[in-house]
Each structure stands twice: as structure tokens, then as C-alpha cells.
Amino acid sequence: MKKLYVIVRSDLPPGDIAAQTGHAVAAFARHHGLAFCTWFDGENNLVVVSVPTLGDLEALRLRVLAHGVLCCDVHEPDLGDSLTAIAADDRIARLVSSLPLALRAA
């Protein structure tokens, strides 16, 4: 695995986007340790992209799961336990190639 992808919601404040990105990387490391170590010890590129809303992130999550991609969800208790981010291995690249980088000014 050369890249680890994090997909966050752009409707969150910038500080929350940063925090949820960190939570997503940590969750991926915890749940997919071998893949994480392979990534970390290799090229370890991190790609953080965004979707506009919770509904968009939920829809993407279903597509990711249908493609058998290793992934982890992040749900934030302070935001009603809503889905805030997904971390996934680089097999997600085609599914997210059209998404903008997170926190990039329009």
C-alpha cells in the first residue's frame, strides 16, 4: 500500500476536519495494523480529500465496502455520533479521484 486515503466532510469546521483526519488514521492503524505498517514503512503518502455532506460520505462508504477496500469509519460523539471521516487503503483511488483535497480554498 503506497497511499492511505482519508475522506472527510467539508461541512465541518477546519479544526474538526484536522481532528477527524487524525482519528481516521489512528482507527486504520488499530484495525488494519499490518496494512498500516506496510504503508508507514514504505512511501507513506497520505491523501486527504473531502465530500460536501454526511449523506455524501455515507454513500461513499457503501461504495467502498462494496469494492472490498480496507477501511475504517470515524463517528464523532460530540457531533451526535455522526460519520465524520473514512480512512481507506489505496484501492479506493478510483472512487475518490474526482474529489477535492480537504481544506483547499475554492
Side-chain angles (χ1 to χ4, degrees):
M1 183 171 89
K2 293 183 179 183
K3 295 181 181 180
L4 177 62
Y5 286 80
V6 175
I7 304 90
V8 295
R9 292 171 31 199
S10 62
D11 63 344
L12 299 174
D16 287 349
I17 290 173
Q20 298 311 306
T21 297
H23 289 313
V25 171
F28 192 90
R30 181 175 184 212
H31 294 285
H32 303 293
L34 183 57
F36 180 82
C37 288
T38 300
W39 167 77
F40 190 82
D41 292 340
E43 293 183 31
N44 72 15
N45 293 312
L46 178 63
V47 179
V48 184
V49 296
S50 63
V51 294
T53 67
L54 171 59
D56 296 316
L57 190 57
E58 290 172 335
L60 178 61
R61 179 185 172 275
L62 293 176
R63 291 178 59 209
V64 168
L65 292 173
H67 282 83
V69 174
L70 288 181
C71 67
C72 287
D73 301 346
V74 176
H75 295 265
E76 177 53 53
D78 292 339
L79 298 172
D81 209 31
S82 66
L83 180 64
T84 56
I86 298 170
D89 72 23
D90 51 12
R91 291 177 292 166
I92 197 176
R94 285 187 181 177
L95 297 174
V96 300
S97 63
S98 64
L99 296 177
L101 295 174
L103 298 172
R104 179 165 279 185

